[in-house]
């Protein structure tokens, strides 16, 4: 996580916006929420410490990079979704009751309001950072509209080709716009020829496998530095006291003795290798799906029994991991059967997954029989997950 934060700061320092992308549960939203809190802290805290949740022994470290944007900083959080529009992000018209009847008044959205905040002569803010979670959950090209141009710092104030804001929705008189309503009861006006201020920065996240999301187009994407967030086994290793060097590859001789944490670590590694080879790395499973599996109670620090850990693994499998696999392999039952090694079970002992049969017909179909692993006998749970590591 500290490396990703450094990359975001480096992008801002170069006059660029940052886009974190990758599979679900790789820490994208968590990372920008931590950065949000850091920037939202008093100035003396902004050069203080970084928190690395993956580092259990020394989670707090001194940053190697100073924040390269002028302070004080105002931070704004927003999440794109399917009903989010240009009116929310740039400029919208809302009805207002007056003595002359109902009139439409302009209201600034998040992006325009950031420009108005910096340009306000009474403000003490020198930079605004806009955090956009799930940028591809909305129609980003429509949400930005013509203001997509001003994601490029070259077209802002102090840029190489500064351009005036194209605010055709506003009426102007004597070179000044009508009043624009702002959040918090404030108002503002804009002079003709107003250019977008330099110090407005954007950091956003994008889920690389969400089929319900709208892909962002190339014109928008090229205005961001893309920072990939990949599944990270080291996060789980630090959480469970494991390292790559101390985990032996599962063999015919040792697979039945793997600990629950070794099993889960190796299982995620194998599943992601197979998914990446079949569907592509953007479809891998994020390590965050497994961080709820703990080695010790969070409130007391008392170690959790191995049997309980196995039960926790089965619960996470049923509620989190397997639904993700079903979604990725929707309409491809043979690939899912192969992934779960249904056709190649261990020589002795039952495993959780089997082919489905019908009443009165013992011939199996080529689909999986429904099962909740967490309801099975504990020995079957252990054998099943250990077998999947090979």
């Amino acid at each position: 996580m500290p490396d990703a934060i450094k990359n975001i700061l480096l992008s801002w320092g170069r006059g660029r916006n940052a886009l974190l992308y990758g599979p679900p549960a790789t820490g994208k939203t968590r990372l920008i929420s931590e950065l949000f809190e850091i920037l939202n802290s008093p100035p003396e805290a902004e050069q203080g410490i970084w928190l690395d949740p993956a580092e259990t022994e020394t989670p707090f470290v001194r940053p190697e990079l100073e924040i390269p944007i002028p302070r004080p900083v105002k931070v704004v959080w927003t999440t794109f979704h399917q009903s989010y529009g240009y009116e929310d992000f740039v400029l919208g018209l809302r009805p207002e009751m007056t003595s002359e009847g109902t009139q439409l008044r302009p209201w600034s959205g998040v992006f325009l309001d950031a420009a108005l905040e910096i340009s306000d002569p009474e403000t003490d803010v020198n930079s605004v950072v806009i955090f956009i979670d799930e940028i591809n959950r909305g129609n980003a090209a429509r949400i930005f509209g013509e203001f997509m141009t001003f994601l490029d710092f070259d077209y802002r104030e102090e840029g190489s080709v500064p351009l005036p804001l194209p605010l055709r929705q506003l009426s102007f008189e004597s070179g000044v716009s009508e009043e624009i309503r702002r959040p918090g009861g404030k108002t503002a006006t804009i002079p003709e020829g107003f250019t977008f201020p330099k110090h407005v920065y954007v950091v956003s996240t994008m889920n690389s496998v969400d089929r319900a999301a709208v892909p962002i187009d190339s014109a928008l994407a090229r205005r961001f530095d893309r920072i990939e967030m990949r599944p990270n086994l080291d996060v789980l290793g630090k959480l469970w006291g494991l390292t790559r060097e101390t985990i032996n590859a599962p063999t015919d001789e040792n697979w039945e003795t793997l600990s629950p944490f070794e099993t889960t670590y190796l299982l995620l590694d194998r599943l992601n290798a197979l998914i990446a080879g079949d569907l592509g790395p953007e479809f891998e499973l994020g390590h965050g799906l497994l961080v709820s599996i703990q080695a010790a109670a969070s409130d007391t620090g008392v170690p959790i029994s191995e049997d309980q850990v196995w039960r926790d693994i089965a619960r996470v499998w049923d509620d989190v991991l397997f639904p993700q696999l079903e979604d990725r392999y929707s309409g491809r039952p043979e690939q899912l059967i192969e992934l779960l090694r249904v056709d190649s079970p261990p020589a002795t002992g039952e495993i959780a997954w089997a082919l489905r049969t019908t009443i009165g017909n013992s011939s199996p179909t080529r689909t999986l029989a429904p099962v909740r692993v967490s309801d099975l006998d504990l020995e079957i749970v252990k054998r099943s997950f250990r077998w999947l590591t090979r």
Side-chain angles (χ1 to χ4, degrees), residues 331-343:
R332 305 177 65 191
E334 283 296 334
Q335 284 72 23
L336 190 55
I337 289 169
E338 182 180 351
L339 195 74
L340 299 179
R341 307 196 64 190
V342 176
D343 291 330

Side-chain angles (χ1 to χ4, degrees), residues 32-264:
I32 67 167
S33 66
E34 290 173 1
L35 183 56
F36 180 93
E37 291 300 325
I38 290 169
L39 294 177
N40 203 30
S41 301
E44 61 270 15
E46 293 180 10
Q47 295 185 30
I49 53 178
W50 296 125
L51 168 65
D52 182 4
E55 182 57 68
T56 55
E57 294 184 2
T58 55
F60 297 100
V61 295
R62 292 286 176 182
E64 297 180 7
L65 294 177
E66 293 185 359
I67 296 172
I69 59 179
R71 290 172 288 170
V73 179
K74 178 180 178 179
V75 293
V76 182
W77 185 285
T78 190
T79 302
F80 283 6
H81 50 80
Q82 291 180 353
S83 60
Y84 197 94
Y86 179 90
E87 300 78 11
D88 304 295
F89 195 68
V90 179
L91 182 67
L93 299 175
R94 301 182 190 176
E96 183 177 292
M97 295 296 296
T98 69
S99 58
E100 300 175 357
T102 303
Q103 296 185 349
L104 292 176
R105 302 294 193 189
W107 282 78
S108 63
V110 172
F111 199 43
L112 176 59
D113 194 68
L116 298 178
E117 179 67 43
I118 292 179
S119 304
D120 185 348
E122 298 182 1
T123 189
D124 58 355
V125 170
N126 290 322
S127 299
V128 178
V129 177
I130 300 173
F131 292 76
I132 305 174
D133 198 21
E134 304 284 1
I135 192 171
N136 60 331
R137 291 288 295 174
N139 188 336
R142 179 187 178 279
I143 292 170
F144 279 94
E146 69 272 25
F147 272 63
M148 185 189 303
T149 300
F150 301 106
L151 284 172
D152 193 325
F153 284 65
D154 284 343
Y155 303 117
R156 301 185 184 185
E157 183 182 18
E158 301 181 31
S160 57
V161 189
L163 297 175
L165 294 192
L167 293 171
R168 291 180 294 275
Q169 304 94 322
L170 299 177
S171 60
F172 285 78
E173 185 176 341
S174 301
V176 179
S177 75
E178 62 184 303
E179 279 195 340
I180 304 169
R181 272 61 174 169
R182 297 181 55 204
K186 298 179 181 179
T187 61
T189 58
I190 294 177
E192 286 185 316
F194 178 78
T195 55
F196 200 90
K198 175 181 179 181
H199 296 296
V200 176
Y201 303 87
V202 176
V203 58
S204 58
T205 69
M206 184 178 78
N207 186 338
S208 60
V209 300
D210 192 343
R211 295 174 182 174
V214 179
I216 62 173
D217 60 33
S218 59
L220 182 60
R222 71 179 177 81
R223 289 174 162 86
F224 288 86
D225 285 344
R226 296 167 69 94
I227 301 170
E228 187 176 19
M229 299 286 286
R230 297 291 306 277
N232 188 350
L233 286 171
D234 291 338
V235 173
L236 298 178
K238 291 175 182 178
L239 180 66
W240 299 333
L242 303 174
T243 64
R244 294 175 183 266
E245 293 74 23
T246 58
I247 298 178
N248 294 317
T251 64
D252 290 340
E253 290 73 31
N254 70 4
W255 73 272
E256 294 182 275
T257 64
L258 294 171
S259 75
F261 298 114
E262 290 173 325
T263 299
T264 310

Side-chain angles (χ1 to χ4, degrees), residues 255-256 340-342 344-355 369-373 375-388:
W255 73 272
E256 294 182 275
L340 299 179
R341 307 196 64 190
V342 176
S344 56
T348 59
E350 181 183 352
I351 62 171
W353 305 282
L355 296 178
V371 62
R372 276 194 67 83
V373 180
D375 293 337
L376 300 178
D377 180 82
L378 190 58
E379 289 306 311
I380 297 177
V381 171
K382 294 178 182 179
R383 186 183 304 112
S384 299
F385 290 124
R386 284 167 169 164
W387 185 245
L388 287 190

Side-chain angles (χ1 to χ4, degrees), residues 257-275:
T257 64
L258 294 171
S259 75
F261 298 114
E262 290 173 325
T263 299
T264 310
Y265 186 101
L266 291 167
L267 174 61
L268 184 64
D269 187 36
R270 173 181 174 266
L271 290 177
N272 277 342
L274 294 173
I275 291 169

